Coordinates of all heavy atoms in Angstrom, one line a residue:
M1 N 17.4 6.1 -35.4 CA 17.5 5.2 -34.2 C 16.4 5.6 -33.2 O 16.1 6.8 -32.9 CB 18.9 5.4 -33.5 CG 19.0 4.6 -32.3 SD 20.7 4.1 -31.9 CE 21.3 5.4 -30.8
A2 N 15.8 4.7 -32.6 CA 14.7 4.9 -31.6 C 15.3 4.7 -30.3 O 16.2 3.8 -30.1 CB 13.6 3.9 -31.8
E3 N 15.0 5.5 -29.4 CA 15.5 5.5 -28.0 C 14.4 5.6 -27.0 O 13.4 6.1 -27.3 CB 16.5 6.7 -27.8 CG 17.7 6.6 -28.6 CD 18.8 7.7 -28.2 OE1 18.5 8.4 -27.2 OE2 19.8 7.9 -28.9
G4 N 14.7 5.0 -25.9 CA 13.7 5.0 -24.8 C 13.9 3.8 -24.0 O 14.6 2.9 -24.3
T5 N 13.2 3.8 -22.9 CA 13.2 2.5 -22.0 C 12.3 1.5 -22.7 O 11.6 1.7 -23.6 CB 12.4 2.8 -20.6 OG1 11.1 3.2 -20.9 CG2 13.0 3.9 -19.9
P6 N 12.5 0.2 -22.3 CA 11.7 -0.8 -23.0 C 10.2 -0.5 -22.9 O 9.4 -0.7 -24.0 CB 12.0 -2.0 -22.1 CG 13.4 -1.7 -21.8 CD 13.5 -0.3 -21.4
D7 N 9.7 0.0 -21.9 CA 8.3 0.3 -21.7 C 7.8 1.4 -22.7 O 6.8 1.4 -23.3 CB 7.8 0.6 -20.3 CG 7.8 -0.6 -19.4 OD1 7.7 -1.7 -19.9 OD2 7.9 -0.4 -18.2
E8 N 8.7 2.4 -22.8 CA 8.5 3.6 -23.7 C 8.5 3.1 -25.1 O 7.6 3.5 -25.9 CB 9.5 4.6 -23.6 CG 9.4 5.4 -22.3 CD 10.7 6.3 -22.0 OE1 11.7 6.1 -22.6 OE2 10.5 7.2 -21.2
L9 N 9.3 2.2 -25.6 CA 9.3 1.6 -26.9 C 8.1 0.8 -27.1 O 7.5 0.8 -28.2 CB 10.7 0.8 -27.2 CG 11.9 1.8 -27.2 CD1 13.2 0.9 -27.1 CD2 11.9 2.7 -28.3
K10 N 7.8 -0.1 -26.2 CA 6.6 -0.9 -26.4 C 5.3 -0.1 -26.6 O 4.4 -0.4 -27.3 CB 6.4 -1.8 -25.1 CG 7.6 -2.8 -25.2 CD 7.3 -3.7 -23.9 CE 8.5 -4.7 -23.7 NZ 8.3 -5.5 -22.4
A11 N 5.2 1.2 -25.8 CA 4.1 1.9 -25.9 C 3.9 2.5 -27.3 O 2.9 3.0 -27.7 CB 4.2 3.1 -24.9
R12 N 4.9 2.5 -28.2 CA 4.9 3.1 -29.5 C 4.0 2.2 -30.4 O 3.5 2.6 -31.4 CB 6.2 3.2 -30.2 CG 7.0 4.3 -29.4 CD 8.3 4.4 -30.3 NE 9.2 5.4 -29.7 CZ 10.3 5.9 -30.4 NH1 10.6 5.5 -31.5 NH2 10.9 6.9 -29.7
L13 N 3.9 0.9 -30.1 CA 3.1 0.0 -30.9 C 1.6 -0.1 -30.3 O 1.5 -0.4 -29.2 CB 3.7 -1.4 -30.9 CG 5.0 -1.6 -31.6 CD1 5.5 -3.0 -31.6 CD2 4.9 -1.1 -33.1
P14 N 0.7 0.1 -31.1 CA -0.6 0.2 -30.7 C -1.2 -1.2 -30.5 O -2.3 -1.4 -30.1 CB -1.4 0.9 -31.8 CG -0.7 0.6 -33.0 CD 0.8 0.6 -32.5
V15 N -0.5 -2.3 -30.9 CA -1.1 -3.6 -30.9 C -0.2 -4.5 -30.0 O 0.9 -4.6 -30.1 CB -1.1 -4.2 -32.3 CG1 -1.6 -5.7 -32.4 CG2 -2.0 -3.3 -33.2
G16 N -1.0 -5.3 -29.2 CA -0.4 -6.3 -28.4 C -1.1 -7.6 -28.8 O -1.4 -7.9 -30.0
H17 N -1.4 -8.5 -27.8 CA -2.0 -9.8 -28.1 C -3.0 -10.1 -27.0 O -2.8 -9.9 -25.9 CB -0.9 -10.9 -28.1 CG 0.2 -10.5 -29.1 ND1 1.4 -10.0 -28.8 CD2 0.2 -10.8 -30.4 CE1 2.2 -9.9 -29.8 NE2 1.5 -10.4 -30.9
I18 N -4.0 -10.8 -27.6 CA -4.9 -11.5 -26.6 C -4.8 -13.0 -26.9 O -5.0 -13.4 -28.1 CB -6.4 -11.0 -26.9 CG1 -6.5 -9.5 -26.6 CG2 -7.4 -11.8 -26.1 CD1 -7.9 -8.9 -26.9
R19 N -4.6 -13.7 -25.9 CA -4.5 -15.1 -26.1 C -5.6 -15.9 -25.4 O -5.9 -15.6 -24.3 CB -3.1 -15.6 -25.4 CG -2.8 -17.1 -25.7 CD -1.4 -17.4 -25.3 NE -1.2 -18.9 -25.5 CZ -1.0 -19.7 -24.4 NH1 -1.1 -19.3 -23.1 NH2 -0.8 -20.9 -24.7
L20 N -6.2 -16.7 -26.2 CA -7.4 -17.5 -25.8 C -7.0 -19.0 -25.8 O -6.5 -19.6 -26.8 CB -8.5 -17.3 -26.8 CG -8.9 -15.8 -27.1 CD1 -9.9 -15.8 -28.2 CD2 -9.6 -15.3 -25.9
R21 N -7.3 -19.7 -24.6 CA -7.1 -21.1 -24.6 C -8.5 -21.7 -24.4 O -9.4 -21.4 -23.6 CB -6.2 -21.4 -23.3 CG -5.8 -23.0 -23.4 CD -4.8 -23.3 -22.4 NE -5.5 -23.2 -21.0 CZ -4.9 -22.7 -20.0 NH1 -3.8 -22.2 -20.0 NH2 -5.6 -22.7 -18.8
F22 N -8.6 -22.8 -25.3 CA -9.9 -23.4 -25.3 C -9.9 -24.8 -24.7 O -8.9 -25.5 -24.5 CB -10.4 -23.6 -26.8 CG -10.5 -22.3 -27.5 CD1 -9.5 -21.6 -28.0 CD2 -11.8 -21.6 -27.3 CE1 -9.6 -20.3 -28.6 CE2 -11.9 -20.4 -27.9 CZ -10.9 -19.8 -28.6
P23 N -11.0 -25.4 -24.1 CA -11.1 -26.5 -23.4 C -10.9 -27.8 -24.3 O -10.5 -28.8 -23.8 CB -12.4 -26.6 -22.7 CG -13.3 -25.6 -23.5 CD -12.3 -24.6 -24.1
E24 N -11.3 -27.6 -25.6 CA -11.1 -28.8 -26.5 C -11.0 -28.4 -27.9 O -11.1 -27.2 -28.3 CB -12.3 -29.8 -26.3 CG -13.6 -29.2 -27.0 CD -14.4 -28.3 -26.2 OE1 -14.4 -28.4 -24.9 OE2 -14.9 -27.3 -26.8
E25 N -10.6 -29.4 -28.8 CA -10.2 -29.1 -30.2 C -11.5 -28.5 -30.8 O -11.2 -27.6 -31.7 CB -9.8 -30.4 -30.8 CG -9.4 -30.3 -32.2 CD -7.9 -29.7 -32.4 OE1 -7.1 -29.6 -31.4 OE2 -7.7 -29.2 -33.5
A26 N -12.6 -29.0 -30.6 CA -13.8 -28.5 -31.4 C -14.0 -27.0 -31.2 O -14.3 -26.2 -32.1 CB -15.0 -29.3 -31.0
S27 N -13.9 -26.5 -30.0 CA -14.0 -25.2 -29.7 C -12.9 -24.3 -30.3 O -13.1 -23.2 -30.8 CB -14.0 -24.9 -28.2 OG -14.9 -25.4 -27.5
L28 N -11.6 -24.8 -30.3 CA -10.6 -24.1 -31.0 C -10.8 -24.0 -32.5 O -10.7 -23.0 -33.1 CB -9.3 -24.9 -30.8 CG -8.1 -24.3 -31.6 CD1 -7.7 -23.0 -31.2 CD2 -7.0 -25.3 -31.5
V29 N -11.3 -25.1 -33.2 CA -11.5 -25.0 -34.6 C -12.7 -24.0 -34.9 O -12.6 -23.3 -35.9 CB -11.9 -26.5 -35.1 CG1 -12.4 -26.4 -36.5 CG2 -10.7 -27.4 -35.0
A30 N -13.7 -24.0 -34.1 CA -14.8 -23.0 -34.3 C -14.2 -21.6 -34.1 O -14.7 -20.8 -35.0 CB -15.9 -23.3 -33.3
A31 N -13.4 -21.5 -33.2 CA -12.9 -20.1 -32.9 C -12.0 -19.6 -34.1 O -12.0 -18.5 -34.4 CB -12.1 -20.1 -31.6
Q32 N -11.2 -20.5 -34.6 CA -10.4 -20.3 -35.8 C -11.2 -19.6 -36.9 O -10.7 -18.8 -37.7 CB -9.6 -21.5 -36.2 CG -8.4 -21.7 -35.3 CD -7.6 -22.9 -35.8 OE1 -8.1 -24.0 -35.9 NE2 -6.4 -22.7 -36.1
A33 N -12.4 -20.2 -37.1 CA -13.3 -19.7 -38.1 C -13.8 -18.3 -37.8 O -14.0 -17.5 -38.7 CB -14.5 -20.6 -38.3
V34 N -14.0 -18.0 -36.5 CA -14.5 -16.7 -36.1 C -13.4 -15.8 -36.2 O -13.7 -14.5 -36.6 CB -15.1 -16.8 -34.7 CG1 -15.5 -15.5 -34.2 CG2 -16.4 -17.7 -34.7
F35 N -12.3 -16.1 -35.8 CA -11.1 -15.1 -35.7 C -10.0 -15.6 -36.8 O -9.0 -16.2 -36.6 CB -10.5 -15.1 -34.4 CG -11.3 -14.7 -33.2 CD1 -11.9 -15.6 -32.5 CD2 -11.6 -13.3 -33.1 CE1 -12.8 -15.2 -31.4 CE2 -12.5 -12.9 -32.0 CZ -13.1 -13.8 -31.2
A36 N -10.4 -15.3 -38.1 CA -9.6 -15.8 -39.2 C -8.2 -15.4 -39.2 O -7.3 -16.1 -39.7 CB -10.3 -15.4 -40.5
D37 N -8.0 -14.2 -38.6 CA -6.5 -13.7 -38.5 C -5.6 -14.2 -37.3 O -4.5 -13.9 -37.2 CB -6.5 -12.2 -38.5 CG -7.0 -11.5 -39.9 OD1 -7.0 -12.3 -40.9 OD2 -7.5 -10.4 -39.9
A38 N -6.3 -15.0 -36.5 CA -5.7 -15.5 -35.4 C -4.6 -16.5 -35.7 O -4.7 -17.2 -36.7 CB -6.7 -16.1 -34.4
R39 N -3.6 -16.6 -34.9 CA -2.5 -17.5 -35.0 C -2.6 -18.7 -33.9 O -2.8 -18.4 -32.8 CB -1.2 -16.8 -34.9 CG 0.0 -17.6 -34.9 CD 1.3 -16.8 -34.9 NE 1.3 -15.7 -33.9 CZ 1.7 -15.8 -32.7 NH1 2.1 -17.0 -32.2 NH2 1.7 -14.7 -31.8
R40 N -2.6 -19.9 -34.5 CA -2.7 -21.0 -33.4 C -1.4 -21.1 -32.7 O -0.4 -21.0 -33.3 CB -3.0 -22.2 -34.2 CG -3.3 -23.4 -33.2 CD -3.8 -24.6 -34.1 NE -4.1 -25.7 -33.1 CZ -4.8 -26.8 -33.4 NH1 -5.4 -26.8 -34.5 NH2 -5.0 -27.6 -32.5
S41 N -1.5 -21.2 -31.4 CA -0.3 -21.3 -30.5 C 0.2 -22.7 -30.5 O -0.5 -23.6 -30.7 CB -0.6 -20.8 -29.1 OG -1.0 -19.5 -29.2
D42 N 1.4 -22.7 -30.0 CA 2.2 -24.1 -30.0 C 1.5 -25.0 -29.1 O 1.7 -26.3 -29.3 CB 3.6 -23.9 -29.8 CG 4.4 -23.1 -30.8 OD1 4.0 -23.2 -31.9 OD2 5.5 -22.5 -30.5
D43 N 0.9 -24.6 -28.0 CA 0.3 -25.6 -27.1 C -0.8 -26.4 -27.6 O -1.3 -27.4 -27.0 CB 0.0 -24.8 -25.8 CG -1.3 -24.0 -25.9 OD1 -1.9 -24.0 -26.9 OD2 -1.6 -23.4 -24.9
G44 N -1.3 -26.0 -28.7 CA -2.4 -26.8 -29.4 C -3.7 -26.4 -29.3 O -4.6 -26.5 -30.1
L45 N -4.1 -25.8 -28.2 CA -5.5 -25.4 -27.9 C -5.7 -23.9 -27.7 O -6.6 -23.4 -27.1 CB -6.1 -26.2 -26.7 CG -6.3 -27.6 -26.9 CD1 -6.8 -28.3 -25.6 CD2 -7.2 -27.9 -28.1
S46 N -4.7 -23.1 -28.2 CA -4.7 -21.6 -28.0 C -4.7 -20.9 -29.3 O -4.0 -21.4 -30.3 CB -3.6 -21.3 -27.1 OG -3.7 -21.7 -25.9
L47 N -5.3 -19.8 -29.3 CA -5.2 -18.8 -30.4 C -4.7 -17.5 -29.9 O -5.0 -17.1 -28.7 CB -6.6 -18.6 -31.0 CG -7.3 -19.6 -31.8 CD1 -8.7 -19.1 -32.3 CD2 -6.5 -20.1 -32.9
T48 N -3.9 -16.9 -30.6 CA -3.3 -15.5 -30.3 C -3.8 -14.6 -31.4 O -3.7 -14.7 -32.6 CB -1.7 -15.6 -30.2 OG1 -1.4 -16.5 -29.4 CG2 -1.3 -14.2 -29.9
L49 N -4.5 -13.5 -30.9 CA -5.0 -12.4 -31.7 C -4.2 -11.2 -31.5 O -3.9 -10.9 -30.3 CB -6.5 -12.2 -31.3 CG -7.4 -13.3 -31.0 CD1 -8.7 -12.8 -30.3 CD2 -7.8 -14.0 -32.3
A50 N -3.9 -10.5 -32.7 CA -3.3 -9.2 -32.6 C -4.4 -8.3 -32.2 O -5.5 -8.2 -32.9 CB -2.6 -8.9 -33.9
A51 N -4.2 -7.6 -31.0 CA -5.3 -6.6 -30.6 C -4.7 -5.6 -29.8 O -3.6 -5.8 -29.2 CB -6.4 -7.4 -29.8
A52 N -5.3 -4.5 -29.7 CA -4.8 -3.4 -28.8 C -4.7 -3.8 -27.4 O -3.9 -3.2 -26.7 CB -5.7 -2.2 -29.0
G53 N -5.4 -4.7 -26.8 CA -5.4 -5.1 -25.5 C -6.1 -4.2 -24.6 O -5.9 -4.4 -23.4
D54 N -6.8 -3.1 -25.1 CA -7.5 -2.2 -24.2 C -8.8 -2.9 -23.8 O -9.2 -3.9 -24.4 CB -7.5 -0.9 -24.8 CG -8.2 -0.8 -26.1 OD1 -8.8 -1.8 -26.6 OD2 -8.2 0.3 -26.7
V55 N -9.6 -2.2 -23.1 CA -11.0 -2.7 -22.6 C -11.9 -2.8 -23.9 O -12.6 -3.9 -24.0 CB -11.6 -1.8 -21.5 CG1 -13.0 -2.1 -21.3 CG2 -10.7 -1.8 -20.3
G56 N -11.8 -1.9 -24.8 CA -12.7 -2.0 -26.0 C -12.4 -3.2 -26.8 O -13.2 -3.9 -27.3
A57 N -11.1 -3.5 -27.1 CA -10.7 -4.6 -27.9 C -11.0 -6.0 -27.2 O -11.5 -6.9 -27.8 CB -9.2 -4.6 -28.2
L58 N -10.8 -6.0 -25.8 CA -11.1 -7.2 -25.1 C -12.6 -7.4 -25.1 O -13.1 -8.6 -25.4 CB -10.6 -7.0 -23.6 CG -10.7 -8.2 -22.8 CD1 -10.0 -9.5 -23.4 CD2 -10.2 -7.9 -21.3
R59 N -13.5 -6.4 -24.9 CA -14.9 -6.5 -24.9 C -15.4 -7.1 -26.3 O -16.2 -7.9 -26.4 CB -15.6 -5.2 -24.6 CG -17.1 -5.2 -24.6 CD -17.7 -3.9 -24.1 NE -17.4 -3.8 -22.8 CZ -16.9 -2.6 -22.3 NH1 -16.6 -1.7 -23.0 NH2 -16.6 -2.5 -21.0
A60 N -14.8 -6.5 -27.4 CA -15.1 -7.1 -28.8 C -14.8 -8.5 -28.9 O -15.7 -9.3 -29.4 CB -14.4 -6.2 -29.8
V61 N -13.7 -8.9 -28.4 CA -13.3 -10.4 -28.6 C -14.3 -11.2 -27.7 O -14.9 -12.2 -28.2 CB -11.8 -10.6 -28.1 CG1 -11.6 -12.0 -27.8 CG2 -11.0 -10.0 -29.1
L62 N -14.6 -10.7 -26.4 CA -15.5 -11.4 -25.6 C -16.9 -11.5 -26.2 O -17.6 -12.5 -26.1 CB -15.5 -10.8 -24.2 CG -14.2 -11.0 -23.5 CD1 -14.3 -10.3 -22.1 CD2 -13.9 -12.5 -23.2
D63 N -17.3 -10.4 -26.8 CA -18.6 -10.4 -27.4 C -18.8 -11.4 -28.5 O -19.7 -12.1 -28.7 CB -19.0 -9.0 -27.9 CG -19.3 -7.9 -26.8 OD1 -19.6 -8.5 -25.7 OD2 -19.3 -6.8 -27.1
R64 N -17.8 -11.5 -29.4 CA -17.7 -12.4 -30.5 C -17.8 -13.9 -30.0 O -18.4 -14.7 -30.5 CB -16.6 -12.3 -31.4 CG -16.7 -10.8 -32.2 CD -15.5 -10.6 -33.1 NE -15.4 -11.6 -34.3 CZ -14.4 -11.5 -35.1 NH1 -13.3 -10.7 -34.8 NH2 -14.3 -12.4 -36.0
L65 N -17.0 -14.1 -28.9 CA -17.0 -15.5 -28.4 C -18.4 -15.8 -27.9 O -18.9 -16.9 -28.1 CB -16.0 -15.6 -27.2 CG -14.5 -15.5 -27.6 CD1 -13.6 -15.2 -26.4 CD2 -14.1 -16.8 -28.3
E66 N -19.0 -14.9 -27.1 CA -20.3 -15.1 -26.6 C -21.4 -15.3 -27.7 O -22.2 -16.2 -27.6 CB -20.7 -14.0 -25.7 CG -22.1 -14.2 -25.1 CD -22.4 -13.2 -24.0 OE1 -21.7 -12.2 -24.0 OE2 -23.5 -13.2 -23.4
A67 N -21.2 -14.5 -28.8 CA -22.2 -14.6 -29.9 C -22.0 -16.0 -30.6 O -23.1 -16.4 -31.1 CB -21.9 -13.5 -30.9
H68 N -20.9 -16.6 -30.5 CA -20.8 -17.9 -31.2 C -20.7 -19.0 -30.1 O -20.5 -20.2 -30.5 CB -19.5 -17.9 -32.1 CG -19.6 -17.1 -33.2 ND1 -19.3 -15.7 -33.2 CD2 -20.0 -17.4 -34.5 CE1 -19.5 -15.3 -34.4 NE2 -19.9 -16.2 -35.2
A69 N -21.2 -18.7 -28.9 CA -21.2 -19.8 -27.8 C -20.0 -20.5 -27.7 O -19.9 -21.7 -27.5 CB -22.4 -20.6 -28.0
L70 N -18.8 -19.8 -27.8 CA -17.5 -20.5 -27.7 C -16.9 -20.4 -26.2 O -16.7 -19.3 -25.8 CB -16.5 -19.8 -28.6 CG -16.8 -20.0 -30.0 CD1 -15.9 -19.2 -30.9 CD2 -16.7 -21.5 -30.5
P71 N -16.8 -21.6 -25.6 CA -16.3 -21.6 -24.2 C -14.7 -21.3 -24.3 O -14.0 -21.7 -25.2 CB -16.5 -23.1 -23.7 CG -16.5 -23.8 -25.1 CD -17.1 -22.9 -26.1
V72 N -14.2 -20.5 -23.3 CA -12.8 -20.3 -23.2 C -12.3 -20.7 -21.9 O -13.0 -20.3 -20.8 CB -12.5 -18.7 -23.4 CG1 -11.1 -18.4 -23.1 CG2 -12.9 -18.3 -24.8
E73 N -11.3 -21.3 -21.8 CA -10.7 -21.9 -20.7 C -9.9 -20.8 -19.9 O -9.8 -20.7 -18.7 CB -9.9 -23.1 -20.8 CG -9.5 -24.0 -19.6 CD -8.9 -25.3 -20.1 OE1 -7.7 -25.2 -20.4 OE2 -9.6 -26.2 -20.1
A74 N -9.2 -20.0 -20.7 CA -8.2 -18.9 -20.1 C -8.1 -18.0 -21.1 O -8.2 -18.2 -22.5 CB -6.9 -19.6 -19.7
L75 N -7.8 -16.7 -20.7 CA -7.6 -15.6 -21.5 C -6.5 -14.8 -20.9 O -6.4 -14.6 -19.7 CB -8.9 -14.7 -21.6 CG -8.8 -13.4 -22.3 CD1 -10.1 -13.3 -23.1 CD2 -8.6 -12.3 -21.5
S76 N -5.6 -14.3 -21.7 CA -4.5 -13.4 -21.2 C -4.3 -12.2 -22.2 O -4.5 -12.4 -23.5 CB -3.1 -14.0 -20.9 OG -2.7 -14.7 -22.2
V77 N -3.9 -11.1 -21.7 CA -3.6 -10.0 -22.6 C -2.2 -9.5 -22.3 O -1.7 -9.5 -21.2 CB -4.6 -8.7 -22.3 CG1 -4.2 -7.6 -23.1 CG2 -6.0 -9.1 -22.4
S78 N -1.4 -9.3 -23.5 CA 0.0 -8.9 -23.3 C 0.3 -7.8 -24.2 O -0.2 -7.7 -25.4 CB 1.0 -10.1 -23.5 OG 0.7 -10.6 -24.8
A79 N 1.3 -7.0 -23.8 CA 1.9 -5.9 -24.6 C 2.8 -6.5 -25.6 O 3.2 -7.7 -25.5 CB 2.6 -4.9 -23.8
P80 N 3.2 -5.8 -26.7 CA 4.2 -6.3 -27.6 C 5.5 -6.5 -26.8 O 5.8 -5.8 -25.8 CB 4.3 -5.1 -28.6 CG 3.5 -4.0 -28.1 CD 2.7 -4.4 -27.0
D81 N 6.3 -7.5 -27.3 CA 7.6 -7.6 -26.7 C 8.7 -6.9 -27.5 O 8.3 -6.2 -28.5 CB 8.0 -9.1 -26.6 CG 8.1 -9.8 -28.0 OD1 8.4 -9.2 -29.1 OD2 7.9 -11.0 -28.1
L82 N 9.9 -6.9 -27.0 CA 11.0 -6.0 -27.6 C 11.3 -6.4 -29.1 O 11.6 -5.6 -29.9 CB 12.2 -5.9 -26.8 CG 12.0 -5.0 -25.5 CD1 13.3 -5.1 -24.7 CD2 11.7 -3.6 -25.9
D83 N 11.2 -7.8 -29.3 CA 11.4 -8.2 -30.7 C 10.4 -7.6 -31.6 O 10.7 -7.1 -32.7 CB 11.3 -9.8 -30.8 CG 12.5 -10.4 -30.2 OD1 13.5 -9.8 -30.1 OD2 12.4 -11.6 -29.9
E84 N 9.2 -7.5 -31.3 CA 8.1 -6.8 -32.2 C 8.3 -5.5 -32.3 O 8.1 -4.9 -33.3 CB 6.7 -7.2 -31.4 CG 6.4 -8.6 -31.6 CD 5.2 -9.0 -30.7 OE1 5.1 -8.5 -29.6 OE2 4.4 -9.8 -31.1
V85 N 8.8 -4.8 -31.3 CA 9.1 -3.3 -31.4 C 10.2 -3.1 -32.3 O 10.2 -2.3 -33.2 CB 9.5 -2.8 -29.9 CG1 10.0 -1.3 -30.1 CG2 8.3 -2.8 -29.0
F86 N 11.2 -4.0 -32.3 CA 12.4 -3.9 -33.1 C 12.0 -4.1 -34.6 O 12.3 -3.2 -35.5 CB 13.4 -4.9 -32.8 CG 14.6 -5.0 -33.8 CD1 15.5 -3.9 -33.8 CD2 14.7 -6.1 -34.6 CE1 16.6 -4.1 -34.7 CE2 15.8 -6.1 -35.5 CZ 16.6 -5.1 -35.6
F87 N 11.2 -5.1 -34.8 CA 10.8 -5.4 -36.2 C 9.9 -4.3 -36.7 O 10.0 -3.9 -37.9 CB 10.0 -6.7 -36.3 CG 10.8 -7.9 -35.9 CD1 10.3 -9.0 -35.1 CD2 12.1 -8.0 -36.3 CE1 11.0 -10.1 -34.8 CE2 12.9 -9.1 -35.9 CZ 12.3 -10.2 -35.1
A88 N 9.0 -3.7 -35.9 CA 8.1 -2.6 -36.3 C 8.9 -1.4 -36.6 O 8.6 -0.7 -37.6 CB 7.1 -2.4 -35.3
L89 N 10.0 -1.1 -35.8 CA 10.7 0.1 -36.0 C 11.6 0.1 -37.1 O 12.0 1.1 -37.7 CB 11.4 0.6 -34.7 CG 10.5 0.9 -33.6 CD1 11.3 1.1 -32.4 CD2 9.7 2.1 -33.9
T90 N 12.1 -1.1 -37.5 CA 13.2 -1.3 -38.4 C 12.8 -1.8 -39.7 O 13.4 -1.8 -40.7 CB 14.4 -2.1 -37.9 OG1 13.9 -3.4 -37.7 CG2 15.0 -1.6 -36.7
G91 N 11.6 -2.6 -39.7 CA 11.1 -3.3 -40.8 C 11.8 -4.6 -41.1 O 11.6 -5.3 -42.1
A92 N 12.8 -4.9 -40.1 CA 13.5 -6.2 -40.2 C 12.7 -7.3 -39.8 O 11.7 -7.2 -39.2 CB 14.8 -6.1 -39.3
G93 N 13.1 -8.5 -40.2 CA 12.3 -9.7 -39.9 C 13.3 -10.9 -39.6 O 14.4 -10.9 -40.3
G94 N 12.8 -11.8 -38.8 CA 13.6 -13.0 -38.6 C 14.9 -12.9 -37.7 O 15.5 -14.0 -37.5
S95 N 15.0 -11.9 -37.1 CA 16.1 -11.7 -36.1 C 15.7 -11.5 -34.8 O 14.7 -10.7 -34.6 CB 17.1 -10.7 -36.6 OG 18.1 -10.4 -35.5
S96 N 16.2 -12.0 -33.7 CA 15.8 -11.7 -32.4 C 16.8 -10.6 -31.8 O 16.6 -10.3 -30.6 CB 15.8 -12.9 -31.6 OG 17.1 -13.5 -31.5
R97 N 17.7 -10.1 -32.5 CA 18.5 -9.1 -31.9 C 17.8 -7.7 -31.8 O 17.0 -7.4 -32.7 CB 19.9 -8.9 -32.8 CG 20.7 -10.1 -32.7 CD 21.9 -10.0 -33.5 NE 22.7 -8.9 -33.0 CZ 23.4 -8.1 -33.9 NH1 23.4 -8.3 -35.1 NH2 24.1 -7.1 -33.4
V98 N 18.2 -6.9 -31.0 CA 17.6 -5.5 -30.9 C 18.6 -4.5 -31.3 O 18.6 -3.4 -30.9 CB 17.2 -5.3 -29.4 CG1 16.4 -4.0 -29.2 CG2 16.3 -6.4 -28.9
G99 N 19.3 -4.8 -32.4 CA 20.4 -4.0 -32.9 C 20.2 -2.5 -32.8 O 20.9 -1.9 -32.0
G100 N 19.5 -1.9 -33.7 CA 19.6 -0.4 -33.8 C 18.7 0.3 -32.8 O 18.6 1.5 -33.0
V101 N 17.9 -0.4 -32.0 CA 17.1 0.3 -31.2 C 17.8 0.5 -29.9 O 18.3 -0.4 -29.2 CB 15.9 -0.6 -30.8 CG1 14.9 0.0 -29.8 CG2 15.1 -0.9 -32.0
G102 N 17.9 1.9 -29.5 CA 18.7 2.2 -28.4 C 17.9 2.1 -27.1 O 17.0 2.9 -27.0
L103 N 18.2 1.2 -26.3 CA 17.5 1.1 -25.0 C 18.2 1.7 -23.9 O 19.4 1.7 -23.7 CB 17.4 -0.4 -24.6 CG 16.6 -1.3 -25.6 CD1 16.6 -2.7 -25.3 CD2 15.2 -0.8 -25.9
K104 N 17.4 2.5 -23.2 CA 18.0 3.1 -21.9 C 17.7 2.3 -20.8 O 16.7 1.6 -20.8 CB 17.3 4.4 -21.7 CG 17.6 5.6 -22.7 CD 16.9 6.8 -22.2 CE 16.8 7.9 -23.3 NZ 15.9 8.9 -23.0
E105 N 18.4 2.3 -19.7 CA 18.2 1.6 -18.5 C 16.9 2.2 -18.0 O 16.7 3.4 -17.8 CB 19.4 1.8 -17.5 CG 20.5 1.0 -17.8 CD 20.4 -0.5 -17.6 OE1 19.8 -0.8 -16.6 OE2 21.0 -1.1 -18.4
A106 N 16.0 1.3 -17.6 CA 14.7 1.8 -16.8 C 15.2 2.2 -15.5 O 16.0 1.5 -14.8 CB 13.8 0.6 -16.8
R107 N 14.7 3.4 -15.0 CA 15.1 3.9 -13.7 C 13.9 3.9 -12.8 O 12.8 4.1 -13.0 CB 15.6 5.3 -13.9 CG 16.9 5.3 -14.8 CD 17.3 6.8 -14.9 NE 18.1 7.0 -16.1 CZ 19.4 6.9 -16.2 NH1 20.1 6.7 -15.1 NH2 20.1 7.1 -17.2

């Protein structure tokens, strides 16, 4: 069983997300070719990349965008959520419950 505050548990995962929103479909399609492992977001013009979210990872993404002259309308960086922590720690999938992960109250 893993224990800790939500922030402590999230810190165990080295990967978060970088979300890129593009101004038009053509830029999105071109970016999908550059970032083959990216997941297209539900809003239609965004890609979500699994990335550490640190300065080096962000710089690498921005460098690739610039090298391919891809315009980005918005960018956000996020840490893993508790569902991702649960799935990583338990190997479970498809459930949104945080069953076996013992969460302490954040103080």
Side-chain angles (χ1 to χ4, degrees):
M1 175 153 90
E3 293 187 11
T5 66
D7 287 338
E8 290 168 343
L9 292 169
K10 290 176 189 179
R12 291 184 181 195
L13 290 184
V15 176
H17 301 98
I18 296 175
R19 185 168 178 252
L20 306 168
R21 189 173 68 223
F22 297 90
E24 75 279 324
E25 182 78 20
S27 297
L28 173 68
V29 171
Q32 283 180 298
V34 172
F35 301 102
D37 293 337
R39 177 176 41 90
R40 188 170 179 158
S41 299
D42 293 335
D43 72 2
L45 290 177
S46 296
L47 291 180
T48 302
L49 313 169
D54 61 7
V55 173
L58 187 55
R59 183 174 290 125
V61 168
L62 293 174
D63 288 347
R64 288 176 73 186
L65 289 166
E66 184 176 3
H68 290 87
L70 293 170
V72 174
E73 191 170 83
L75 177 143
S76 62
V77 178
S78 60
D81 62 26
L82 285 177
D83 285 342
E84 292 166 320
V85 172
F86 173 73
F87 298 142
L89 293 174
T90 65
S95 172
S96 61
R97 294 182 57 218
V98 184
V101 178
L103 299 177
K104 294 181 193 171
E105 287 287 321
R107 299 179 205 261

